[in-house]
Amino acid sequence: MASKEPEHEHREDEEAPAAEDEDTGAQVAPIVKLEEVAVSTGEENEDPILDLKSKLYRFDKEGNQWKERGAGTVKLLKHKETGKVRLVMRQSKTLKICANHLVLPTMTVQEHAGNDKSCLWHASDYADGELKDELFCIRFASVENCKTFMQMFQEAAESQKPKEENKDASDAAGQLEKLSFQEKAGEEKAVAKKEEKETKVDTEKPDIEKKDGEPASST
């Protein structure tokens, strides 16, 4: 009869608990030393004038429907030197750019019909690396945030109008002021002339009365 001892020993080896890893206290130096690298966001020369959490949609003309572009933070950034304002939105986790375009003086933003937490605008967007005409819809968590975005967006667009237009407006206001001043001066001159004429008539009246009161000469 064959012996069963090897099988028994094998079973004992299987049932024996695995030995725990022992901490030898040895320190292993890293093979490659990683240095901290500064990451450029492209926003270093810009000042944020708006920063709000939101969800962005773009209108798909081919499918005739709205498609989600991403959820994250929308910013209005003003360049420190040129004064140009840029709208940038990145997804919250991946930081992928959802929207990236300049705010132009011709742009307008309007409230989404039926949803006072959303608004719409057209833009030539560069988020995909090439300019595309897009119709955007952005939705906020509150009505207040939506109104703040619309106000700041419109103010940014107004600030981008050429200085020549502002100069023309100032010149027009100056011309109106000048005309008003000339009209006022003309009126004052006419009043002064009238008063001078009345004063002259009053000084001549006593002489006339005296002549009327003189006795007639005898013949």
Side-chain angles (χ1 to χ4, degrees):
M1 181 181 287
S3 175
K4 295 183 179 180
E5 288 181 0
E7 183 180 350
H8 178 69
E9 291 177 357
H10 180 67
R11 188 181 296 111
E12 287 180 351
D13 292 341
E14 290 179 350
E15 294 176 355
E20 296 181 358
D21 295 336
E22 296 181 359
D23 184 8
T24 61
Q27 295 182 356
V28 180
I31 299 175
V32 180
K33 185 178 180 181
L34 299 178
E35 296 182 357
E36 185 176 353
V37 179
V39 179
S40 175
T41 62
E43 303 174 7
E44 287 77 15
N45 294 325
E46 296 169 307
D47 292 324
I49 57 179
L50 180 74
D51 189 334
L52 292 172
K53 291 183 178 180
S54 57
K55 183 176 287 188
L56 185 68
Y57 301 84
R58 58 174 291 272
F59 188 74
D60 181 16
K61 297 178 182 179
E62 296 180 357
N64 196 29
Q65 61 181 342
W66 289 101
K67 289 189 175 181
E68 183 177 335
R69 189 82 172 183
T73 302
V74 61
K75 295 181 181 180
L76 289 177
L77 305 171
K78 186 173 183 179
H79 198 278
K80 296 178 181 179
E81 296 180 0
T82 63
K84 292 183 178 181
V85 179
R86 183 167 63 109
L87 183 146
V88 176
M89 182 171 176
R90 299 175 184 270
Q91 293 183 6
S92 56
K93 294 182 179 180
T94 63
L95 298 182
K96 181 181 178 181
I97 295 178
C98 306
N100 180 22
H101 65 78
L102 290 174
V103 178
L104 303 176
T106 54
M107 289 182 177
T108 56
V109 59
Q110 58 184 1
E111 185 176 314
H112 192 295
N115 191 340
D116 52 3
K117 296 180 182 179
S118 304
C119 55
L120 311 167
W121 76 95
H122 285 273
S124 295
D125 188 64
Y126 197 73
D128 296 330
E130 59 180 352
L131 284 177
K132 292 182 181 179
D133 291 332
E134 299 280 11
L135 173 59
F136 287 120
C137 176
I138 194 167
R139 188 176 68 192
F140 297 91
S142 65
V143 178
E144 290 74 15
N145 285 353
C146 184
K147 289 182 177 179
T148 299
F149 173 82
M150 293 178 66
Q151 180 181 351
M152 295 297 294
F153 189 104
Q154 214 58 55
E155 289 179 359
E158 291 288 335
S159 69
Q160 299 304 300
K161 288 185 177 180
K163 293 182 179 180
E164 286 74 12
E165 292 185 9
N166 296 333
K167 184 179 179 181
D168 292 342
S170 300
D171 291 343
Q175 289 293 336
L176 289 174
E177 185 177 356
K178 186 177 180 180
L179 289 172
S180 300
F181 177 78
Q182 290 176 348
E183 290 177 358
K184 186 177 181 182
E187 292 176 356
E188 292 178 351
K189 188 175 181 179
V191 171
K193 190 173 182 180
K194 183 178 180 181
E195 291 178 350
E196 182 181 355
K197 186 176 180 181
E198 292 177 352
T199 304
K200 187 175 181 181
V201 172
D202 291 341
T203 55
E204 292 177 351
K205 279 184 179 181
D207 295 336
I208 295 173
E209 291 177 354
K210 183 177 181 182
K211 289 179 181 179
D212 293 341
E214 288 181 356
S217 58
S218 56
T219 52

